[in-house]
């Protein structure tokens, strides 16, 4: 069974000049359309959904356009865009799909910038966290974006229903994730370390997790660890296929939420490979 892609064209309507711009998702969408994926249109996450993860004060500021930092502009209606992206993650969780939406979320902590980091790294609402809290299930959150998900770690640190596992380039933005802490298992990797090293770390990480505890696997998927992208760890399309196989072998209901990845058509190819590897082993 082919994984369904959650997508709304509305997520292309802002931020044309920024590296986290519409092209990265638009080109991936076009590629996946050619590959005959089925698409589902999300509805926005409710304010209640968002407030399970973020402080009321931060949400109020987002609505008013009052939170801006050098990475993360206060676009017009950004709260509405962020709610739709979070809604995409919730729908993906319900149908075990892949949310191909923006803005991304994993650097957004409870009240904005997380764990003392100066910026929110293109993120407004933590989509994967909103989805995990909305379904209320015990979750393994696997973050394969090239950057550490400091927001996700901040939100879930000490949460008995969740384990957060992240593989990321280090030292690098956001500067967190250099060591593991409680239920947050971090695997810092050197720049362009290559597929073999990456997959060894992933196997080690997954080997440390007691899968019997979890009802669902939530994958924060960034493709900026692809060779040449923003947080390159030297991965190729084949690397994403191998990652997908390992996720499939966990044999749990699984959903995927887009984080980074800034080479538009390449994102589409990587998604296709990740999902084909996943589907090969998931049945
Ligand atoms: Zn990233």
């Amino acid at each position: 069974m082919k994984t369904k892609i959650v997508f709304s064209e509305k997520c292309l309507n802002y931020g044309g000049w920024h590296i986290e711009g519409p092209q990265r998702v638009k080109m991936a969408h076009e590629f996946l359309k050619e590959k005959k994926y089925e698409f589902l249109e999300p509805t926005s996450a409710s304010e209640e959904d968002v407030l399970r993860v973020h402080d009321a004060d931060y949400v109020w500021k987002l609505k008013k356009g009052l939170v801006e930092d050098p990475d993360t502009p206060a676009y017009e209606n950004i709260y509405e865009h962020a709610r739709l992206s979070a809604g995409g993650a919730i729908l993906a969780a319900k149908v075990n799909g892949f949310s191909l939406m923006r803005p991304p979320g994993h650097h957004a902590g409870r009240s904005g910038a997380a764990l003392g980091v100066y910026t929110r790294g293109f993120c407004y609402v933590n989509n994967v966290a909103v989805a995990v809290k909305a379904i209320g299930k015990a979750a393994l959150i696997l973050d394969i974006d090239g950057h550490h998900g400091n927001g996700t770690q901040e939100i879930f640190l000490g949460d008995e229903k969740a384990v957060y596992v992240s593989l990321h380039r280090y030292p690098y933005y956001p500067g967190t994730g250099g060591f593991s802490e409680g239920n947050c298992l971090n695997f810092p990797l050197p720049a362009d370390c290559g597929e073999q090293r990456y997959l060894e770390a992933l196997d080690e990480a997954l080997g440390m997790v007691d899968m019997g505890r979890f009802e669902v696997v939530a994958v924060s998927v960034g493709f900026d660890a692809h060779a040449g992208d923003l947080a390159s760890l030297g991965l190729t399309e084949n690397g994403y296929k191998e990652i997908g196989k390992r996720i499939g072998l966990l044999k749990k209901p699984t959903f995927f939420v887009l984080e980074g990845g800034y080479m538009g058509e390449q994102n589409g190819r990587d998604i296709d490979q990740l999902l084909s590897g996943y589907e090969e082993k998931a049945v």
Side-chain angles (χ1 to χ4, degrees):
M1 198 186 68
K2 224 169 173 176
T3 306
K4 294 184 175 69
I5 309 288
V6 175
F7 175 74
S8 165
E9 301 231 341
K10 287 179 191 162
C11 83
L12 308 177
N13 293 342
Y14 71 95
W17 54 274
H18 199 285
I19 183 177
E20 195 294 287
Q23 283 303 107
R24 56 187 287 266
V25 169
K26 187 171 189 270
M27 292 170 82
H29 174 242
E30 280 162 11
F31 181 84
L32 296 169
K33 215 157 66 177
E34 270 171 36
K35 290 275 175 185
K36 308 285 180 218
Y37 279 84
E38 193 183 324
F39 294 89
L40 300 174
E41 181 95 18
T43 55
S44 295
S46 68
E47 187 141 319
E48 191 187 348
D49 291 326
V50 176
L51 287 170
R52 279 190 211 103
V53 168
H54 297 290
D55 293 346
D57 184 52
Y58 173 62
V59 171
W60 183 82
K61 284 185 191 153
L62 265 186
K63 268 192 220 170
K64 299 282 178 193
L66 295 175
V67 267
E68 183 157 53
D69 65 49
D71 288 340
T72 324
Y75 296 112
E76 199 180 342
N77 294 328
I78 189 59
Y79 180 61
E80 294 309 315
H81 289 297
R83 277 207 306 140
L84 187 57
S85 187
I90 294 174
L91 180 56
K94 287 180 179 162
V95 301
N96 298 322
F98 186 112
S99 181
L100 181 65
M101 292 288 289
R102 60 185 283 268
H106 75 152
H107 296 303
R110 227 170 259 123
S111 52
L115 302 180
V117 175
Y118 179 55
T119 72
R120 285 169 296 128
F122 323 154
C123 299
Y124 302 85
V125 164
N126 195 309
N127 305 312
V128 80
V130 167
V132 166
K133 298 275 188 189
I135 59 174
K137 291 181 177 167
L140 169 66
I141 304 165
L142 175 63
D143 190 330
I144 57 166
D145 187 271
H147 300 92
H148 179 237
N150 54 316
T152 311
Q153 171 161 325
E154 183 189 89
I155 290 160
F156 288 99
L157 185 66
D159 184 328
E160 288 178 359
K161 282 180 87 171
V163 165
Y164 175 69
V165 171
S166 177
L167 280 75
H168 47 268
R169 180 158 150 177
Y170 185 90
Y172 202 56
Y173 180 87
T176 53
F179 54 92
S180 297
E181 204 180 340
N183 61 331
C184 296
L185 307 179
N186 288 314
F187 292 81
L189 293 164
D192 292 300
C193 65
E195 232 138 85
Q196 196 187 338
R197 173 92 189 262
Y198 188 97
L199 293 171
E200 279 167 17
L202 181 60
D203 288 337
E204 187 192 342
L206 295 176
M208 288 169 71
V209 175
D210 170 15
M211 285 310 298
R213 282 182 55 193
F214 300 111
E215 299 163 283
V216 65
V217 177
V219 190
S220 254
V221 194
F223 297 99
D224 48 16
H226 193 109
D229 205 328
L230 199 58
S232 175
L233 290 169
L235 300 186
T236 64
E237 286 170 32
N238 179 62
Y240 286 101
K241 183 163 195 169
E242 289 299 318
I243 294 168
K245 285 182 191 172
R246 284 158 171 82
I247 296 169
L249 285 168
L250 300 175
K251 307 281 182 195
K252 292 280 173 184
T254 298
F255 68 98
F256 303 84
V257 179
L258 183 68
E259 301 289 356
Y262 301 94
M263 306 189 296
E265 192 180 325
Q266 189 60 57
N267 288 340
R269 294 179 190 281
D270 288 344
I271 292 168
D272 184 44
Q273 289 304 306
L274 179 82
L275 294 179
S276 78
Y278 166 72
E279 285 152 15
E280 190 184 311
K281 299 292 179 184
V283 274

